[in-house]
Amino acid sequence: MSILKTKNLSFTYPQISSVHHATINDISFSLDSGETIGIIGHTGSGKSTLLQTLNGLIKPDSGMVFLNEKDLWENPKEIYQKRFKVGLVFQYPEYQLFEETAYKDIAYGPKNMGLSDEEIDLRINEYSALLGITEDNLNKSPFELSGGEKRRVALAGILAMEPDVLVLDEPTAGLDPIGRTMLFNAIKEYQIKTNAGVIIVSHSMEDLSKMCDKLLVLSGGEIKKFGSVKDVFLDSAELNNLGLDVPMVTRVMLELKAKGLDIRSDIFTVDEAAKEILNFFSQSL
Amino acid sequence: MQSSFIEVKNVTYKYDEDVENQVAINNVSLSIEKGSFTVILGHNGSGKSTLAKLLNGMLKPDKGRIVIDGLDTSKTENEYEIRKRLGLVFQNPDNQIICTIVEEDVAFGPENLGIEPKEIRKRVDEALSLVGMSDFAKAAPHQLSGGQKQRVALAGILAMEPECIVLDEPTAMLDPIGRKEVINAITRLNKEKNITVILITHFMEEAENADRVIIMNKGEIVADSEPLKVFSMSDVLKSSGLSLPQTTELLTLLKNGGLNVNSGIISPKGTADEIFSVISGR
């Protein structure tokens, strides 16, 4: 079932400053419950603008957003409540922490939803455990925490609202591999538990091929491609034209094929590639 | 007598808030040659940023000694001379740019060194050209992309004409295009201007063209050699919390599967060449 859907969505920023903002034009796609879509595109491709239309921070000039099959802007006065349903995690969310303690920061969203103190406490315990935030850290000021710990506190604040759709703008930027794996695992676990739809913007083709069911390629504010991870990465020429890359391991397979080896190149993970090459090798003996 | 530009001898450093027996840098020794390109890899908390701050004298070693071009960093009177010779570039470009016009920002450093206006003009133009930002000399920093801003920050350091530049995760906040721009600019400075470069990062891909790769873990150096050798030590890389690029990981799997490949290669093209030559060589 489609949990979030956009139809012919367009938005242009009013021309009030010299700063260039990316517009979006005629965006239509659909996200199912439990599904993960990755968005690829350069800085200025309209990614951030699109993300902000999804939870109503930006009202589109034309076109519609449907949340659970209902028009997001059906009643503009209720848009505030809708934002609890589509949890948007901005780039570098740790810069938005402001409360006295990490605990209070995570509680901020759920409190605004009007949840009881007991329910809030329950959720904080659940989601800090999911994200590996220690009880000791919960009572500290967010400013005493490391970058990776702060990031997890910011994410916990969104998860504690238990949104139906989780939208993440480069959630792992600046994190080291351990921090990255931890964050991705937490997102997966949340999705398995709640069957939420997830949208991830990332520059790492390797991470996207691991996390996503589908990919959406955005360029100049328009959808250039939308399909399964395989379909999108198979068209490496089109991606290269847009200045985007396929995963490193796919490039290796493409190079081998170009050298004349009769080998599959529709491969995006290391394990698959190793299997294919070893197979090829043993057959050619 | 010493021929190297940087000499780190048995240095230990501990932050005040660190737990007993836990140090940020533990008995580290290394020397860096003039004109070399060294990459220091390590995960968050491995001590690599602490090392950067120790090198330019922002932090003083608790034990041991650091000498930059003959100047001991623990002597306060050397601070000024050391910072003239060794420039530091940080992760977030927004924290390093203070002026409202790009060329004014680049001029800020040399102005503080008391350099003649005519000479400053020359240095600013040259620095901006070296990082490929001449066209943006009159632009406002907020109009630039992350990669462009980071190159302006780099130009600001260059205009002070340091002999060595230490970059602490300069690409961590950039997109792939910005990352390439910055790495290309750094490589050029090293090759064309013979500036000694120490690049601190957790992206292994950025270490491919270095002369030397040092891996840090828990405040200690766990590997120190040329890139090809270090990157074939997959156990050390993994236990240091680094994630291998897909190419290195693939080559390691192939090696374990019986193919006699060198697993220290990073570029997709080099990886394909290696696999092809081993397969067709039999």
Side-chain angles (χ1 to χ4, degrees), chain A residues 42-43 92 176 203 249 259, chain B residues 43-44 173 175-177 246 273:
Chain A
H42 283 310
T43 310
Y92 299 100
D176 68 5
H203 289 299
V249 74
K259 285 175 186 295
Chain B
H43 69 94
N44 296 352
M173 295 178 90
D175 68 7
I177 292 183
Q246 283 196 328
D273 287 345

Side-chain angles (χ1 to χ4, degrees), chain A residues 84-100:
Chain A
F84 299 134
K85 302 262 178 213
V86 183
L88 177 54
V89 183
F90 283 106
Q91 247 183 72
Y92 299 100
E94 58 271 26
Y95 291 145
Q96 295 167 42
L97 300 175
F98 66 99
E99 278 281 12
E100 289 161 32

